[in-house]
Structures are given as C-alpha cells and as structure tokens.
Amino acid sequence: MDAERWWPPFVEVAALVWIVLFVVDVAVAFDLLVVSESLAATIRSVLRWLLVVFLLDVALLYRWSDQSPGRFVRSNWFLILTVVPWFRPFRLLRIGRSIRALRLLTGSRRVGSFLNKIRRKCHSLWHRLRE
C-alpha cells in the first residue's frame, strides 16, 4: 500500500474520532453524560494517542514534502497549528468534502434536529458559565 495515498483519509477519520471523544469527555466533565471511570480513563487515553497520530501526521507530511524545515513551517503553518487538537476541527473546515458532507447532514431532519439540540445545550452552558 502507498502510505501517501491512504494516510490522509486515515488522519481525517482520526480527527473525527478525536472530535467525538473530546465532546464526550467534556460532557462527562460537566456531568451531562455519566460513564464508568474506566471508560472515562479509556477515552482520555485514546485522546492522548490520537495526539501522537497528529504529530506523526505533520512529521510524515514534512518528510514527503522535500522542503527545508523553515520553508515547510512557513508554507504549512496552518497544518502545524491543527496538530494542537483544539484546532483540529479547523482542518476539517478546510476540506471541501467535509463542508459538503456537513451541509448534507444538516439538511437531514434527524441530524439537523440533533445539531440544534447540541447548539441549544452549548448555548445554555455558555450562559451558565458566564453567570
């Protein structure tokens, strides 16, 4: 298998998994979701391992780029920033396929309703935190 061909889709899936697990971890931290302590520890462990995948992603992209380190950093600063997991969702926004998929999902009645519930819950949490 050609790693340069299968690696980017793998990292996109890892990013989606990270986002889901991060949301679950935050929900557990705010007592919005109750899970066993062992499951919570497993989620945190997987989040740490995914960070290693993201660091490896940048290293591999540098290796495949044939650029000097300085030039690679200057031309890929956004990519490097998205190694920090909290900025990872921004990389997905940069990908046209992901945006189109999100548009399709929000057009679905069931998914659109779910996303609206999440938006309302985040809005109420934000107001509670500000008080």
Side-chain angles (χ1 to χ4, degrees):
M1 275 187 157
D2 185 21
E4 289 182 63
R5 195 179 76 233
W6 63 263
W7 180 256
F10 170 75
V11 174
E12 287 180 26
V13 170
L16 290 173
V17 169
W18 186 91
I19 291 167
V20 169
L21 291 178
F22 179 74
V23 169
V24 169
D25 190 43
V26 169
V28 168
F30 283 102
D31 295 325
L32 299 172
L33 184 65
V34 178
V35 298
S36 68
E37 187 56 41
S38 63
L39 180 59
T42 302
I43 290 170
R44 287 188 296 270
S45 176
V46 171
L47 287 171
R48 283 190 294 273
W49 278 107
L50 286 173
L51 178 58
V52 172
V53 169
F54 301 146
L55 291 171
L56 181 61
D57 180 42
V58 171
L60 286 173
L61 292 175
Y62 165 69
R63 175 91 166 101
W64 294 331
S65 75
D66 295 326
Q67 293 178 336
S68 68
R71 186 168 183 196
F72 179 79
V73 169
R74 280 191 303 278
S75 63
N76 294 293
W77 64 270
F78 185 78
L79 173 88
I80 294 167
L81 178 68
T82 60
V83 169
V84 178
W86 295 275
F87 296 118
R88 195 74 187 176
F90 292 124
R91 182 184 285 189
L92 292 176
L93 291 176
R94 206 172 129 188
I95 301 169
R97 288 177 293 159
S98 297
I99 293 172
R100 284 192 301 274
L102 185 60
R103 284 184 189 153
L104 287 173
L105 284 176
T106 57
S108 163
R109 186 178 199 146
R110 189 174 284 162
V111 174
S113 172
F114 176 70
L115 292 174
N116 278 330
K117 286 178 186 175
I118 291 174
R119 184 186 54 81
R120 284 192 303 270
K121 189 58 145 174
C122 289
H123 185 71
S124 70
L125 282 173
W126 176 254
H127 283 295
R128 256 195 275 162
L129 289 172
R130 289 182 53 192
E131 293 176 355

